[in-house]
Amino acid sequence: MNNRFLYLEPMGGLNDVLTGIYRGYSYCKKFNRILLINGNRTQYQVNFSDYFKFSLPSLIYDTELIKKVLASSDSFYPSAFKESGNKFFGEGISFKFTDNGYYSSELKAYVNLPSSDIQEKVIISSICGGNVSQSYEIFKNLGFTEIVKSYCHSKRILLPNSYLCIHARNTDLKCNLDELLSKNEGILNQYRNIYLATDHKESINLLKSKLPSHRIFNFCSFPERSYNNLHGSDLSADIKIKDLLSDICIALNAECFISNSKGLFVQLLRILRKDKNSNLSKYTNI
């Protein structure tokens, strides 16, 4: 087999992961490589094939298949990774973010995406971030497995057909929920049922202090310990990713959506809500 590969560990939250995949996939298209996405090494720590279905060609995102590719490869870039492919699924190698990109202190090598073609069979890379147009392009080619669809549906049917969705990212990036509520009193009075998509349990309590609690919905789990953001918390990996995807579906199905959150994730939600492309019907028909 003469295939060449780009092994990718996309870091950060969902938007960062999707932009990382876009950048890695673009490199592969340009230089005729197959993209390997190790979801187990993202902050979500899941095998992507258990949750996602990508419609893109030349892409492998199943953990066991990636292990086989790495085990059969004897040529890595950077060269420090020679004979180290099997360590990507244990504690042997870690990548830490630095001012110059992601770095492996164990092997003393950076794993930035090269700007040109490389002769080695497997390129090792870790990427975090990009722009929202990149994450949108990947999301359009992303589907959910039946397990995820069933989970999202089980949450969606707990809501009436008509509801307002408020998005409040209020952990690592802060929003002013009080100000949002004050500026949208008319909308709040228009909808009897409100879903609050948030990473911040105290924001739910704040909303319930302003409005009757029976009008407020949230289906997410929250960690017992303090956390900087949900995707980096110690929640169960399975619950973490399912709750995220369920909230996306709920936000896309909402009759109305308001937010003053910061960051690219909420921008992605707004773009997806505006998109009338039939590609997104798989998320609005759950």
Side-chain angles (χ1 to χ4, degrees):
M1 183 173 63
N2 295 320
N3 290 328
R4 299 186 306 156
F5 304 90
L6 171 63
Y7 169 89
L8 177 65
E9 295 185 7
M11 301 297 188
L14 182 66
N15 188 80
D16 291 328
V17 168
L18 295 176
T19 56
I21 293 173
Y22 176 90
R23 292 165 62 188
Y25 192 74
S26 298
Y27 180 92
C28 289
K29 285 180 65 177
K30 184 176 182 179
F31 296 114
N32 193 29
R33 287 182 178 266
I34 295 173
L35 181 61
L36 311 175
I37 308 172
N38 188 354
N40 289 92
R41 297 263 293 190
T42 67
Q43 288 194 290
Y44 296 103
Q45 298 178 322
V46 296
N47 182 1
F48 278 5
S49 65
D50 292 336
Y51 301 88
F52 300 120
K53 291 182 177 180
F54 288 88
S55 60
L56 298 168
S58 301
L59 191 155
I60 298 173
Y61 50 100
D62 178 77
T63 298
E64 295 306 314
L65 293 179
I66 295 173
K67 285 182 180 179
K68 291 179 181 179
V69 170
L70 296 180
S72 64
S73 300
D74 57 3
S75 175
F76 292 88
Y77 175 87
S79 59
F81 287 87
K82 186 177 181 181
E83 300 179 357
S84 300
N86 62 331
K87 295 184 179 180
F88 290 116
F89 297 90
E91 301 298 325
I93 298 174
S94 61
F95 299 151
K96 302 297 182 182
F97 184 74
T98 72
D99 291 340
N100 296 315
Y102 281 91
Y103 181 77
S104 170
S105 58
E106 297 86 354
L107 297 176
K108 296 179 174 54
Y110 285 98
V111 288
N112 298 324
L113 191 65
S115 58
S116 60
D117 197 10
I118 301 296
Q119 66 178 4
E120 283 78 6
K121 184 173 182 178
V122 179
I123 296 173
I124 307 299
S125 183
S126 186
I127 302 173
C128 180
N131 61 63
V132 71
S133 64
Q134 295 171 337
S135 57
Y136 168 71
E137 287 301 318
I138 296 299
F139 200 94
K140 287 195 302 184
N141 292 282
L142 188 66
F144 297 161
T145 62
E146 291 305 316
I147 291 175
V148 172
K149 288 180 181 179
S150 177
Y151 185 84
C152 293
H153 179 72
S154 71
K155 302 301 181 183
R156 171 64 185 86
I157 60 176
L158 298 176
L159 285 163
N161 289 331
S162 177
Y163 61 92
L164 164 69
C165 179
I166 300 174
H167 178 268
R169 181 173 180 174
N170 214 5
T171 53
D172 53 350
L173 296 177
K174 302 295 184 182
C175 70
N176 191 331
L177 185 56
D178 264 324
E179 180 181 73
L180 181 70
L181 300 178
S182 177
K183 289 184 176 180
N184 290 277
E185 286 186 8
I187 294 176
L188 294 174
N189 292 330
Q190 183 179 346
Y191 288 92
R192 179 174 178 80
N193 301 288
I194 300 171
Y195 186 85
L196 179 59
T198 185
D199 56 357
H200 188 238
K201 192 173 183 178
E202 286 73 18
S203 292
I204 302 173
N205 297 331
L206 172 62
L207 186 58
K208 287 183 176 180
S209 72
K210 305 283 186 181
L211 299 169
S213 60
H214 69 271
R215 295 176 56 192
I216 312 303
F217 295 82
N218 176 275
F219 304 139
C220 287
S221 300
F222 295 92
E224 294 294 331
R225 300 177 183 176
S226 61
Y227 58 98
N228 183 52
N229 50 53
L230 275 183
H231 56 270
S233 73
D234 61 0
L235 273 177
S236 153
D238 179 68
I239 290 298
K240 191 187 300 185
I241 192 70
K242 283 181 178 176
D243 280 355
L244 169 64
L245 300 178
S246 174
D247 267 14
I248 290 174
C249 289
I250 288 172
L252 296 185
N253 278 280
E255 191 170 289
C256 183
F257 177 87
I258 60 173
S259 178
N260 63 0
S261 296
K262 299 175 183 178
L264 295 181
F265 178 73
V266 68
Q267 294 182 34
L268 176 62
L269 287 179
R270 287 196 175 100
I271 291 174
L272 294 173
R273 282 185 53 84
K274 290 179 181 179
D275 194 330
K276 304 302 181 181
N277 192 307
S278 61
N279 286 330
L280 298 180
S281 64
K282 55 195 171 188
Y283 307 108
T284 55
N285 291 333
I286 287 178

